[in-house]
Amino acid sequence: MAEAKLLSGNDACVQGALAAGVRFFAGYPITPSTEIANAFARELPGRGGIFMQMEDEIASMGAIIGASCTGTKAVTATSGPGFSLMQENIGYAAVAEIPCVIINVMRYGPSTGLPTSPSQGDFMQTRWGPHGDHPVIVIAPYTAREAYRETGRAVNLSERYRVPVIVLMDEILGHLRERVEFRDEDLVQEINRKGPDPDSTFLPYEYTEDGVPPFANFGTGYRYHITGLIHDETGFPTNNPVEVDRIMRRVNEKIELHRRDIARTQFVEVDDADILVVAFGSVARSAHEAVRTLRQEGKAVGMVRPVTVWPFPDEDIRKAAAGKKAVIVPEMNLGQMVREVERVVAGTVPVHALNRIDGLLITPQEMRDLIEDIQ
Amino acid sequence: MAEAKLLSGNDACVQGALAAGVRFFAGYPITPSTEIANAFARELPGRGGIFMQMEDEIASMGAIIGASCTGTKAVTATSGPGFSLMQENIGYAAVAEIPCVIINVMRYGPSTGLPTSPSQGDFMQTRWGPHGDHPVIVIAPYTAREAYRETGRAVNLSERYRVPVIVLMDEILGHLRERVEFRDEDLVQEINRKGPDPDSTFLPYEYTEDGVPPFANFGTGYRYHITGLIHDETGFPTNNPVEVDRIMRRVNEKIELHRRDIARTQFVEVDDADILVVAFGSVARSAHEAVRTLRQEGKAVGMVRPVTVWPFPDEDIRKAAAGKKAVIVPEMNLGQMVREVERVVAGTVPVHALNRIDGLLITPQEMRDLIEDIQ
Amino acid sequence: MSKRWEVRLIGTGGQGIVTASIILAVAALREGNNVVQSQNYGPEVRGGYSTAYVIASESSILYPKIDRPNVLLVMTSTDYEKYLRDIDDNGMLIMNGEPGPEKVPDNVYFIPITNIAHDEVERPITANIVCVGAVVGLTGMVSEAAALAAVEEHVPAKAVKINRRAFILGVRAAREALAKREASATS
Amino acid sequence: MSKRWEVRLIGTGGQGIVTASIILAVAALREGNNVVQSQNYGPEVRGGYSTAYVIASESSILYPKIDRPNVLLVMTSTDYEKYLRDIDDNGMLIMNGEPGPEKVPDNVYFIPITNIAHDEVERPITANIVCVGAVVGLTGMVSEAAALAAVEEHVPAKAVKINRRAFILGVRAAREALAKREASATS
Amino acid sequence: MGKKRFNVTVDRTICKACGICVAFCPMSVFTTDHDDKAVVSAPERCTGCRQCELLCPDFCITVVQVEETADG
Amino acid sequence: MGKKRFNVTVDRTICKACGICVAFCPMSVFTTDHDDKAVVSAPERCTGCRQCELLCPDFCITVVQVEETADG
Amino acid sequence: MGELHEKYLRMNKMPHIWCAGCGNGIIMGAFITAIDRLGYDKDEVAAVSGIGCSGRITGYLDFNTIHTTHGRALAFATGIKLTKPRLKVFVFMGDGDAVAIGGNHLIHACRRNLDMTAVIFNNHIYGMTGGQFSPTTFKNKSATTAPYGTTDPDFDIAQLCIGAGATYVARGTSYHARLLTDLIVKGAEHPGFSVIEVITHCPVNFGRRNNFESPAQMLLWQKEHGVAARKAKAMPLEDMEGKFTIGELYRSTEIPEYLEEYGRVIQAANEEKQP
Amino acid sequence: MGELHEKYLRMNKMPHIWCAGCGNGIIMGAFITAIDRLGYDKDEVAAVSGIGCSGRITGYLDFNTIHTTHGRALAFATGIKLTKPRLKVFVFMGDGDAVAIGGNHLIHACRRNLDMTAVIFNNHIYGMTGGQFSPTTFKNKSATTAPYGTTDPDFDIAQLCIGAGATYVARGTSYHARLLTDLIVKGAEHPGFSVIEVITHCPVNFGRRNNFESPAQMLLWQKEHGVAARKAKAMPLEDMEGKFTIGELYRSTEIPEYLEEYGRVIQAANEEKQP
Ligand SMILES: Cc1ncc(C[n+]2csc(CCOP(=O)(O)OP(=O)(O)O)c2C)c(N)n1
Ligand SMILES: Cc1ncc(C[n+]2csc(CCOP(=O)(O)OP(=O)(O)O)c2C)c(N)n1
Ligand code: SF4
Ligand code: SF4
Ligand code: SF4
Ligand code: SF4
Ligand code: SF4
Ligand code: SF4
Ligand SMILES: [Mg+2]
Ligand SMILES: [Mg+2]
């Protein structure tokens, strides 16, 4: 994979998923994610995989959960309207702890919105979309190369922690093609879910040290029960308060327990900066560009970019922001991540939101203007 | 209505909605909201209304939007799984500015969860459930009497501001019956959406002073277009950045513009308190009880209860918390509203979360214990 | 009503426990009290046992749950010892059935509710109304008149008579139990 | 490649503008540059005009959009004045067609792309490849060899020959235009 | 041919007193007790049709063939 | 009976050059111009069947009856 | 454009944005002709559509119009009709819209028999999203999500609707434009829910990929494969192979219209009120 | 309980929690009898259910079991079957589950013809949520959401499935338990998607409200109203009024099984790989 190629963000997701061992895709077309379905349709059948076009997004989400039950790594891809429809089944995957990956290529919402315009309007939805408390991992790449690597990592994290993982793209990244040259660190390693220990009795929702129970693939001789009702460690429903509390804490807390493995944050010239920009996804490309040119001009500006946006990197942001003159949070929405940043810096540093909701990307110039205003 | 009656929270919602002029209900049964559908089925046909059982929650949400287009006040009721399915169409109502009311009687999630156990796990979902930035009003009553009044108010706010309004109940409030004796202030006044001015040309999404365009009911001689695509003031799709920005800011900001009318916050012995409890819904009943008994013992404890939970009462909380020794946020979830409180108090006061996720209500005693610990 | 009444009824689905609790609540409400009534179901509304409760008090009722009721009526078992720890220290426990030979604590009463409904009212379905009578008779939490009025309101029109009878028989059984207890206390 | 190239192509759906931009991007990439290519569609993928662009640069490309391109090729209009303000101060504007009688600014070139495809290649569908040739010929942003290789890669196997011709004719037209401009500059 | 005899048992602990066996046994083998649970009252009438086994929603009933008498 | 005559017009500004009228006019009234747009080349052949009007997806075509000649 | 267009279309939105040769325009023409024939007052007509190229039609029609969410048009329409029964409600959907994501709403609308008319633009493809196969795409066709050819079996929309209990089902084509107008008129006049499936063509996202050289060729295909239902009955089965019937396919008046029947509920409720 | 139960049920979950006299238990008995007859290895059977009283069945069956979300069982099952075709997949749904919220997945499963067997527990009511009417509730019935009696027309599930393209459709009842076992066996053996609708009864939430005095009476109703399909053909139409057919209602082998057909895609993809 050493040769440089021109790869779109959407295609890069597909390549990354395939490299991580994905062999099932179920989806329903929607702009601007459709190229992902198109590519899986071409790639999977020749690799022992199955491409399935379902009747809608609800069914797509159901089908990938079903596929995952047999041990098949499974992905779906969608955009806002479809993503909204998937929420109930995403919650199911979270509570039943079924590995799977959902790629959301954000477009301008709500509703049909502006189907071909980019947005970051689903940031909060990726965290809070399903009803009830549930664990989530959301990763937001900002280049095609990263889309490849992080989609692969998303598959691996979902397998390792038995959790649905969302890859949060946007129309800009999904549709642009760019030079990608994979280096060693990009090579996606295939990680498989932990299976039952053949030497001891299988408990489908066992309390293990790492908080992640072993998974028995359907058809491998373990006959057990999976349900979206709250269940005890045997997998059967319970409403015993002690059991309920215990299992739901484990299910939710396993993310925090493994934060070090799950989290990825990029720091760009943060240490000596006066002003810190916190940005993710395509907007971080503009932010990064702004930082680069401002630094050339001798201005002390840095950037923190959550690659893993959920769990939100509270500590990383807190530390990076400490002692700065100001924090700027540019977003293609009305101010979503900025709420998290405000919560985290807790009044120690002034936080400025820079929002654009006209369907266009925030430019580096806009960031520079704001930074100059602040200084 | 002066006579005292025994009324359940669910029935009170229905009575409040009827008093505010609701004449259409579409829904799909789900515990613990089903009694609402049952009551509408009994009440509507004799009042010139229609009760409709749809094939699912998506259709229910669609049907109430359709009904609202003809000028009929319309309601649906559901719980977590169904509420998750409604998100796409809630976003539609938000962007197309169609008045409607959704009652979510929260149960324990995610997924099927614990269908008969209470929870406050959908707090964040009510704000961030649909994809894309969108306006929301969410009201969380804590007694049957308030369920009556606030459901009526929800209908009125939805009419006045052309926005979907969510009444956030929970299993405890939905299912309990209690003494309700309506006083004058409970009487629901019927408010109707503003119609077109017959003397000027009708612009369906006109920029008016109050940020709310007039609504022409279908079949009243105004032939115009409604769409979930981003539209200009004529109602037709646009992707002109200037137009897009302008309309979407108006649509989102009209809530803030009318915060005074929309917001309702209850303050209980806040002024001289050392310790402040911030709670909503059924948990606030426990909190209120704890405050009452602690005060009897001479302890300076107070409570702030957001009745309108979204828009979140930033200023109310900030002011109430100022100078307190600590703020306690008890919730039947893993800590959702507490994030908002943390954001708002911005480090000025220590914030303590008290969470229960075993399917049971937090008791006044637990709050007292925590308060004693803190002191 | 000077105290805060917390009454819990335990039965199985279909025994009319919820209606019984509503009747108690309405009676208390009519007498000017604040009331909260509620119930738990098994998984959704399916099978298994169900419990219902009423809180009645002159002051406003905020916390809507009962931790340890001061009246607990158990329709489904006669094993009173199991339930003793669930009630308030000064609470009363009412069991459906006949006591065993051993001495029963002072705060435990046995009322053969099912039998009364079956053999005396001759309508097993009225057990829940017998149950209302028993609670009212034993506790006096509401007046018999208020309770009877509430009963009549909450049963089908054509079954008013039989339910009135059930109520009265419940009250009578309660009085007898009280008298017996007093007798044994003074003896 | 010493500068940062920002090339935008404007056409209507179905004119192959996107492919043209991809070909330019691949050629630039093969020559060791960083590239970003993208496009805008009308409402979803329906009707209307479409624009595609390429950014090519030796240094890494972060901001992935073009505000004012330094090369703008317009397939859909000959009204160059409307587009002059959209380009960078030192930018080049390429119009599809013949210039009018009036004097055209130095940075504006007219290449009869559609006509070349129609009349000389005799395959209107190759207009986008003529367009690639024109851009390469006028700007030299990539070598002709690299561009030709990229063309051959991106057209159906059986259409390689005809597209090669289209490319060469595009380059030739560009050279002629340059020569003419130079001539008029020196004259 | 010999007349077959059957042993019919009801697991009273799981019987839910639904009355189905009582209603559908063609030979009226079952009656009910004071809790309305099924009682095998006339096992000798059983012809082994297994209708009761098939229709009991709670799998309480077992019908086993016992012996074949040769007095036919 | 008199032979009917028709005036056939194409609104060139909105014609999308789809070729449908050209293909379906039974009397071959239409041809195309250099942009493939429809041109009314032989209006005299028109029988007024209105197939073109019905099938033009862009409502570019109008067929109007002009006069009735009495030379039949 | 003619008088009809000026009367029923929003002329300031013309020309429409559908591609050259797209069948949607033809169907829109047939539809407004039907409305004219029906003589409905424009203020009393509600047009509801889903999302897709077909869904754009409501932007052009000069009625009370609403462009809803993908697949949900019938749900919205149900709310409109129930609360203002006087309105004539027409619902426009694509094949993906109506029978992929929206299949459930379609079968329930068929079952309920509320007096509305659904017009399904069946171009056998997801047009708007760029050519993925749909539940009505035939076998061995090429689509962006079927680079090796489709293998999924396809729905017969009319059969599906009949199975779901529809009381009026017809099939037209964009080629048979006059027939289509007739069918829409009859469907609208039918007291109850009516479905008109229109076999149409997407030259850009179906035709190009599947060896149709032009929109005209696709219309020709319709002409050659659509067989009048009456005629089809008399034909040997083999001759119908690969063909489809057009015309009125099913009509029944056994099931009462929804709101008519709902009147019984209202009556019962009113009776209960007066003791 | 007998050997069969011990072999196929999770005995530690017994007794089940269905109400006294509920048809679900009878269907579960008929089902495990069918599995025994089919001789399937328990490890190779996957049972998938939706949400509802009927959906609880997967908690009791000793196979690979999954209790999914309301209405979505077939979507989950599709993912299972496609990725491990060796598994025998059975899908259990209630009437609300299968044809209210889940209607779309059902018709698409019928269309696709992936080799799975769906068993629909049609008790004509939403049992679990306490007795709301469902899309299969007959007219003039009482339900919590129909206090004045139902007026909505009801689906004929079998006709719906046939209209959607199903290749095997049968109807049984909980009363005709032996027949039901036969139908499940035949459905499972059918190469493709098979639907077995089971007319069953909910004594608590349907029976009590609709003048059935006992579960036995409801079974009797089934006995008296279910007419063998073959017999029905020979009967005058009037005699079938209010009755329903039971037995195998439709079977076709014209449409190939989904994965079999998908093999063509795989083959084409593999051929393309080797140039
Ligand atoms: C929930 C949701 N999923 C997917 C889409 C994307 N989408 C828009 S139109 C369409 C299908 C278009 O096909 P069809 O319904 O046949 O209409 P056509 O464009 O062919 O007229 C899809 C999948 C969407 N808008 N919303
Ligand atoms: C999305 C969603 N909506 C609603 C429900 C509530 N619900 C649970 S089961 C059920 C229907 C039960 O009826 P049916 O499917 O016929 O099954 P039965 O209980 O009769 O066997 C409903 C509406 C849910 N769990 N999820
Ligand atoms: S086997 Fe037949 S005869 Fe014997 S008890 Fe059962 S139902 Fe009666
Ligand atoms: S059928 Fe079964 S559960 Fe019902 S009464 Fe008979 S033995 Fe008991
Ligand atoms: S009306 Fe008929 S004959 Fe005349 S131009 Fe049109 S298609 Fe041709
Ligand atoms: S049918 Fe209409 S759009 Fe097509 S070529 Fe003819 S006039 Fe032009
Ligand atoms: S893509 Fe197809 S359906 Fe859509 S407008 Fe173009 S031709 Fe018509
Ligand atoms: S409610 Fe009805 S369907 Fe559910 S278990 Fe009870 S009887 Fe069976
Ligand atoms: Mg289509
Ligand atoms: Mg049911």
Side-chain angles (χ1 to χ4, degrees), chain E residues 8-31:
Chain E
V8 184
T9 53
V10 169
D11 184 343
R12 198 182 176 281
T13 58
I14 52 175
C15 169
K16 287 182 184 153
C18 71
I20 288 176
C21 55
V22 183
F24 285 98
C25 169
M27 308 309 293
S28 301
V29 167
F30 303 95
T31 55

Side-chain angles (χ1 to χ4, degrees), chain B residues 34 48 73 185 212 246 312:
Chain B
T34 309
K73 295 179 189 173
E185 74 250 38
V212 185
R246 187 164 175 236
F312 193 71

Side-chain angles (χ1 to χ4, degrees), chain A residues 28-31 34 37-39 41-43 45-46 51-58 85 107 111-112 115, chain G residues 51 56 67-70 72 96-97 99-102 126 128-129 132-135 144-148 152:
Chain A
Y28 187 77
I30 185 165
T31 308
T34 310
N38 295 351
R42 178 163 292 285
E43 298 293 335
F51 166 84
M52 191 70 186
Q53 190 171 298
M54 296 298 287
E55 54 273 25
D56 65 14
E57 290 88 350
I58 299 173
L85 292 171
R107 67 188 219 183
S111 189
T112 313
Chain G
I51 301 294
R56 299 237 166 214
H67 181 226
T68 68
T69 44
H70 187 41
R72 318 302 176 191
D97 208 32
V99 299
I101 194 167
Y126 293 142
M128 173 156 279
T129 45
Q132 296 74 33
F133 66 93
S134 93
T144 65
T145 45
Y148 310 106
D152 285 35

